[in-house]
Amino acid sequence: MNGLGYLTAAYSAVWLILAYFITSLLLKNRRLLRELSQIEQRVKTLENR
Amino acid sequence: MKQPSLGFDGFLMVVLIALMQVALIWALVVAPADATQGDVQRIFYFHLGSIWPGFVAFFYVLYGSIRYLMSRDAKWDRRSYASGQVGLAFCTIVLVTGPIWAKPTWGVWWAWDARLTSTLLMWLIFLGYIMLRDYIDDQAKRERLSAVLGIIGASMVPFVYFSTRWFEVQHPKPVVMGDADSGIKDPNMIWALMLALAAFTVLYVVLWRRGTELAEADADLSDLRLRLSALEDEA
C-alpha cells in the first residue's frame, strides 16, 4: 500500500468511528422517544380508569 | 413574518460543517506534502486534531467528577459521562489513525513505548468508565465509582502528554508547545492543524451537549417510570 492508501485508510477510519458514535446517539434518542410514548400511553390508561 | 431561530445548537452545527470542510480542504489539498513522508503525513492533522478535544473531554470528566463527589449532584455525573463518551471516541480515532500512520513511517504498526502504551491505558480506563455504568444497578454507587474511575483516567492526561519528554520514545516530540526544534514550520501546515483542532473542538462541544441532553432525558424517563409504576400500583 502506498502513502495515499494509508491516508485514505486513516481518514476513512476517522469518519467511520464518528459515524458509529453519532449513530449510537441517534439510536439512544430513538429509544428514549419510544419509551416516552409508552409512558404517555400508560398515563392515558391510568386517567381512563 | 419572523423566521424561526436556529438556536445555539443550530449555530454550532453551521460552524462545525463549515470548519470541517475547510479543515479537510486545508489538510488534503492546500497544505504541502511533507518533504520526507509525502502524503501520508497528512494523517497528522486529524490524528493530533482528535487528541486535543480528547484531552479536553477527559479534563472535563476530572472537573465534573470532582464536582460530583463534592456535591453528590447527579447532573455532574451525567455531564462527565457524556464528556467521557466523546473523549473515548476521539481517543479511539487517535489509536486507530496512529498505527495507520506508523506503519509506512516507522515500519511497524505499534511500538510499546511510553506514549503509545499510556494512551492505550488511558483508553482502556475510559472504556471501563463507560462500561461500568451498565453493570452497577445502585445509582449512588455507580455515580461514585464512575467519578473515582473518571478522576483516575483523567489523571493519565498529563502523563500521556509529557511521556515524550520524560522517556525515550519512538513517537515524535510534541508539536504544540514543544521544543524549538520540533514541530511544523510551513504556514499552510500550521493552518491545516489549527483548522482541524478548531473543527474537532466544535465537534466535541456539539456531541457533548447532545450526549448530556440524552443522559438527562434518560434519567428523567427512569424517574417517570418509577413514579408511574407506583401510581399504577395504587390505582
Side-chain angles (χ1 to χ4, degrees):
Chain A
M1 192 155 61
N2 60 15
L4 273 178
Y6 285 106
L7 183 66
T8 309
Y11 275 73
S12 303
V14 170
W15 302 122
L16 280 175
I17 293 163
L18 287 176
Y20 173 80
F21 184 76
I22 292 166
T23 305
S24 72
L25 284 184
L26 290 173
L27 287 176
K28 186 174 179 181
N29 192 41
R30 222 168 85 171
R31 177 177 66 79
L32 293 178
L33 284 174
R34 199 171 52 237
E35 283 181 23
L36 182 66
S37 100
Q38 283 169 356
I39 287 175
E40 281 172 347
Q41 201 63 43
R42 282 166 67 185
V43 170
K44 274 184 193 156
T45 313
L46 207 62
E47 281 173 346
N48 292 335
R49 275 189 197 173
Chain B
M1 200 171 81
K2 194 181 172 187
Q3 292 294 313
S5 166
L6 271 174
F8 185 62
D9 285 322
F11 168 74
L12 277 180
M13 281 306 292
V14 171
V15 172
L16 174 63
I17 291 166
L19 263 177
M20 204 54 100
Q21 287 181 357
V22 177
L24 266 175
I25 291 167
W26 232 272
L28 297 176
V29 182
V30 180
D34 184 73
T36 49
Q37 294 184 30
D39 281 323
V40 79
Q41 181 270 344
R42 296 178 195 275
I43 293 173
F44 159 79
Y45 304 114
F46 275 40
H47 175 71
L48 191 81
S50 302
I51 196 63
W52 160 252
F55 282 168
V56 172
F58 294 151
F59 268 129
Y60 190 87
V61 173
L62 176 71
Y63 171 73
S65 299
I66 292 170
R67 290 293 302 262
Y68 171 78
L69 290 175
M70 286 167 68
S71 66
R72 302 289 160 144
D73 184 343
K75 85 174 175 202
W76 289 109
D77 170 69
R78 294 194 285 268
R79 289 176 182 181
S80 304
Y81 171 62
S83 194
Q85 275 187 316
V86 186
L88 186 69
F90 282 125
C91 200
T92 307
I93 290 175
V94 173
L95 284 172
V96 171
T97 54
I100 296 173
W101 187 18
K103 180 65 179 165
T105 49
W106 299 347
V108 289
W109 294 100
W110 185 267
W112 290 101
D113 71 9
R115 167 58 70 87
L116 276 69
T117 309
S118 58
T119 309
L120 179 64
L121 187 61
M122 184 173 71
W123 183 83
L124 285 170
I125 292 172
F126 277 99
L127 184 66
Y129 174 81
I130 300 301
M131 289 175 71
L132 178 77
R133 310 181 76 89
D134 293 330
Y135 293 99
I136 302 176
D137 290 330
D138 183 332
Q139 190 191 340
K141 189 177 175 187
R142 183 178 64 228
E143 290 170 356
R144 203 170 54 246
L145 282 177
S146 291
V148 172
L149 196 56
I151 291 169
I152 294 170
S155 305
M156 291 286 299
V157 171
F159 186 84
V160 171
Y161 181 78
F162 288 108
S163 58
T164 53
R165 297 181 188 202
W166 294 340
F167 301 96
E168 275 301 313
V169 289
Q170 182 127 18
H171 193 279
K173 299 287 181 214
V175 172
V176 179
M177 294 185 288
D179 302 331
D181 61 339
S182 69
I184 48 176
K185 304 281 185 270
D186 187 283
N188 276 322
M189 286 181 164
I190 295 169
W191 266 108
L193 175 62
M194 292 303 148
L195 286 164
L197 286 173
F200 274 81
T201 305
V202 176
L203 180 62
Y204 161 70
V205 175
V206 168
L207 293 177
W208 173 74
R209 282 173 64 85
R210 194 74 196 120
T212 303
E213 280 170 13
L214 285 175
E216 282 172 359
D218 201 3
D220 288 347
L221 275 179
S222 299
D223 193 35
L224 270 177
R225 267 197 306 271
L226 284 174
R227 284 162 60 186
L228 193 58
S229 295
L231 280 173
E232 281 171 340
D233 289 344
E234 278 175 28

